[in-house]
Amino acid sequence: MKIADQVATFDAAVDRAFAAIRTPAVDKVAYRLSSAADHSLLWHISGVARALAHGDDLGWASRFSLALGVESVVTNGVLKSMFQRVRPAEYSELAFHHGLRRPLTSSFPSGHATSAFCVAAIVDGGPGWYIAAGVVSATRVYVRLHHASDVIAGVACGLALGRIMRPLVNRHS
């Protein structure tokens, strides 16, 4: 069995597992959370809130937002254009009535997962940040905008980018 076939089998199995939990009640949470993370807005707000909570360090918040900009260029500008993966088939059938933005980029890797785990790695703030990153990432499979393998690749990219940028963001001014 080819790797592409194994990935497709894995993605289908994960999607079947998500299908079992798709309900109107979970939709309300998943679609809103997924939408809140568009353009890393959720993470920019979290960064400012963290900076304010840690002594009004707006220099840190600026470096943090700049790092998210770099992550976005790498993910959405470079990686997605290299791979050009088609989004799940259900994507074209979605009625974007939950306020979800219709993505313009390709599916691989998940930008939401990349930014979420980049943030968790930069702040290195404990399990809460990684749990939040995981939940946001999972919403992308739940709302059928990504294959599970897109999310896994995004997690790996985000962790790598976050580790690389952590010393630059967290340097003392």
Side-chain angles (χ1 to χ4, degrees), residues 2-3 23 32 36 48-49 52 58 61 63 67-68 75 87 101 103 125 132 144 171:
K2 293 181 182 179
I3 291 176
T23 65
R32 285 183 179 136
V48 170
L52 293 173
L58 295 182
R63 292 188 302 276
L68 285 174
T75 305
R87 292 187 181 271
R101 181 185 60 82
R144 298 179 184 106
R171 71 174 172 79

Side-chain angles (χ1 to χ4, degrees), residues 136-162:
V136 165
S137 298
T139 67
R140 300 307 279 177
V141 176
Y142 182 92
V143 302
R144 298 179 184 106
L145 287 178
H146 282 287
H147 305 280
S149 55
D150 299 336
V151 170
I152 291 170
V155 169
C157 291
L159 290 172
L161 288 168

Side-chain angles (χ1 to χ4, degrees), residues 9-170:
T9 299
F10 170 77
D11 287 339
V14 172
D15 194 53
R16 283 191 302 276
F18 271 87
I21 63 166
R22 286 188 181 108
T23 65
V26 178
D27 284 356
K28 288 180 183 179
V29 175
Y31 279 85
R32 285 183 179 136
L33 183 56
S34 188
S35 185
D38 282 350
H39 307 293
S40 297
L41 183 60
L42 174 65
W43 307 119
H44 286 288
I45 292 168
S46 296
V48 170
R50 183 181 184 276
L52 293 173
H54 288 93
D56 201 24
D57 189 356
L58 295 182
W60 181 90
S62 297
R63 292 188 302 276
F64 178 76
S65 285
L66 180 61
L68 285 174
V70 169
E71 172 277 318
S72 181
V73 167
V74 169
T75 305
N76 297 306
V78 177
L79 295 175
K80 286 185 180 234
S81 64
M82 285 174 50
F83 291 99
Q84 294 293 313
R85 186 174 191 194
V86 176
R87 292 187 181 271
E90 296 84 359
Y91 161 74
S92 62
E93 298 170 16
L94 288 174
F96 289 85
H97 61 279
H98 290 282
L100 205 59
R101 181 185 60 82
R102 188 178 298 272
L104 300 175
T105 58
S106 68
S107 187
F108 185 89
S110 165
H112 279 62
T114 305
S115 62
F117 277 89
C118 182
V119 165
I122 287 171
V123 301
D124 199 25
W129 286 93
Y130 289 96
I131 291 168
V135 171
V136 165
S137 298
T139 67
R140 300 307 279 177
V141 176
Y142 182 92
V143 302
R144 298 179 184 106
L145 287 178
H146 282 287
H147 305 280
S149 55
D150 299 336
V151 170
I152 291 170
V155 169
C157 291
L159 290 172
L161 288 168
R163 298 262 334 214
I164 290 166
M165 292 191 282
R166 182 188 312 156
L168 302 171
V169 173
N170 293 326

